């Protein structure tokens, strides 16, 4: 069977999925990852029906870094029978100011993507590592880069900029926005399940470990809560969300923290984890009796509702509000608490539908349709990859 391999490479995990192609349609075949790179490496993969294909642990030094994880994953993937690799699709966090679409990768494109490394130093090098390796090993297999930023590139300049001297914008200091593959998938899915709403004004809340919201008009992104980096906007598992830049200046100039220490604080020690002092994991916080856990949740809900209001203003009202990602898809109590703060927009929750995990959780009289749409960034990458290799073949 012809197949597309989708790769999402991070610093502590390498995720991969295999999609089969039959009659130009994609079906997920395998889902896997190597987690705990450098600490407790573990390769796990399942077939689409849930059957376990591999579950193997390694010594920390055996899979000590991302290149070693790529090698281990490759070794295992080569044992998979029955797939003819036609292309590899990669999640690449930053498409810089240039890429508003996924792109077939060649050495020129790769050099340009590498030049965005300083825009996303924690993510971009990891995203590019498997591309380089596959180029060396399998130069004939086409590779496609799909960006988290691309979906937002159509924002008008006056919404895309910071109020800084113009030269900074020209140097790339812009509000890029992220989670674009998730929003693009949700927009397509909404068009299937609620086409009328999809044509209108929609706010999508991607609430996972990373969290952001996006305002869609007619299925296109017009605003997002994230900006130059994936630190801005909503509080997240370990990131603070919106923060007065004066805090950063204070920490550096008055508290003597190094830029690296501040970066570590903002990426790894803040958000729900920092506020609660308990966990970055919403499930654990919801299960905890500790007042600090409910305090962190209250802050999260507060910031979500403020940002929803901001995006409603960007759209001039909303027709639909969509929950997606780990928290959005699975947590009825968090959804209920956010919707409670959207009553002024005309949102009315159907508590039974919400508790039951229904796809539509608003009442029949709600002025805002409330949807829960499971996201699928990997399928979005596979779709883009297939479309690009087909257009190349045409
Ligand atoms: P990422 O892909 O960014 O790692 P996910 O979209 O998987 O993140 O979301 C992870 C978050 O979703 C975690 O905070 C986790 O606790 C939360 N989550 C998953 N299931 C539930 C649930 N049933 N109730 C509350 N939170 C949940």
């Amino acid at each position: 069977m012809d197949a597309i391999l989708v790769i999402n490479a991070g610093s502590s995990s390498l995720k991969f999925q295999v999609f089969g192609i039959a009659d130009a349609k994609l079906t997920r075949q395998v889902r896997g990852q190597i987690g705990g790179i450098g600490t407790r490496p573990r390769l796990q993969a399942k077939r689409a029906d849930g059957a376990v294909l591999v579950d193997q642990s390694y010594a920390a030094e055996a899979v000590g870094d991302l290149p070693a994880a790529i090698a281990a994953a490759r070794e295992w993937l080569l044992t998979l029978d029955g797939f003819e690799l036609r292309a590899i699709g990669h999640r690449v966090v930053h498409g810089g100011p240039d890429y508003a679409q996924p792109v077939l990768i060649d050495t020129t494109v790769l050099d340009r993507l590498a030049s965005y490394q300083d825009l996303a130093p924690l993510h971009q090098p990891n995203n590019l590592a498997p591309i380089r390796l596959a180029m060396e090993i399998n130069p004939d297999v086409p590779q496609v880069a799909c960006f988290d930023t691309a979906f937002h590139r159509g924002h008008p300049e006056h919404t895309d900029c910071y109020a800084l001297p113009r030269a900074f914008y020209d140097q790339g200091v812009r509000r890029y926005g992220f989670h674009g593959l998730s929003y693009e998938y949700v927009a397509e899915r909404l068009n299937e399940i609620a086409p009328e709403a999809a044509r209108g004004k929609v706010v999508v809340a991607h609430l996972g470990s990373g969290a952001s919201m996006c305002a869609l008009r007619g299925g296109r992104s017009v605003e997002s809560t994230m900006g130059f980096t994936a630190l801005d906007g909503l509080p997240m598992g370990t990131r603070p969300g919106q923060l007065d830049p004066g805090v950063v200046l204070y920490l550096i100039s008055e508290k003597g923290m190094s830029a690296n220490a501040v970066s570590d604080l903002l990426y790894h020690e803040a958000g729900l984890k920092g506020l609660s002092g308990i966990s970055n994991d919403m499930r654990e916080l919801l299960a905890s009796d500790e007042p600090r856990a409910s305090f962190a949740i209250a802050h999260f809900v507060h910031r979500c509702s403020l940002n929803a209001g901001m995006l409603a203003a960007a759209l001039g009202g909303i027709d639909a509000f969509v929950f997606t990602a780990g928290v959005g898809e699975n947590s009825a109590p968090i959804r209920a608490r956010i919707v409670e703060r959207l009553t002024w927009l005309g949102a009315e929750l159907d508590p039974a539908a919400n508790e039951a995990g229904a796809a539509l959780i608003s009442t029949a009289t709600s002025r805002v349709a409330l949807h829960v749409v499971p996201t699928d960034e990997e399928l979005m990458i596979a779709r883009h990859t297939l479309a690009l290799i087909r257009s190349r073949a045409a």
Side-chain angles (χ1 to χ4, degrees), residues 3 8 67 93 100 114 124 140 173 176 200 235 260 262 292 352 383:
N8 181 357
V93 73
Q124 196 84 341
D140 297 332
V173 182
Y176 291 98
N260 276 345
V262 175
R292 288 174 307 158
R383 280 182 190 162

Side-chain angles (χ1 to χ4, degrees), residues 185-199 218-219 373:
Y185 174 81
V186 168
E188 287 189 8
R189 185 75 191 122
L190 198 64
N191 197 33
E192 290 164 6
I193 59 175
E196 204 172 315
R199 281 193 290 274
V373 177

Side-chain angles (χ1 to χ4, degrees), residues 17 122 163 193 288:
Q17 296 199 11
L122 299 180
I193 59 175
S288 169

Side-chain angles (χ1 to χ4, degrees), residues 208-210 280-283 286 325-327 330-331:
S209 302
N280 61 330
D281 192 297
M282 185 61 92
R283 255 173 313 197
L286 285 164
V327 177
N330 298 301
S331 179

Side-chain angles (χ1 to χ4, degrees), residues 136-158:
E136 268 171 48
I137 299 172
N138 290 341
D140 297 332
V141 175
Q143 299 195 75
V144 173
C146 300
F147 306 104
D148 276 317
T149 49
F151 189 60
H152 305 294
R153 288 273 45 76
H155 294 183
E157 227 169 274
H158 73 279

Side-chain angles (χ1 to χ4, degrees), residues 75-93:
E75 194 177 319
W76 180 77
L77 282 163
L78 286 172
T79 66
L80 273 181
D81 274 338
F83 294 114
E84 198 69 43
L85 184 61
R86 292 294 171 215
I88 307 175
H90 297 266
R91 179 183 196 167
V92 176
V93 73

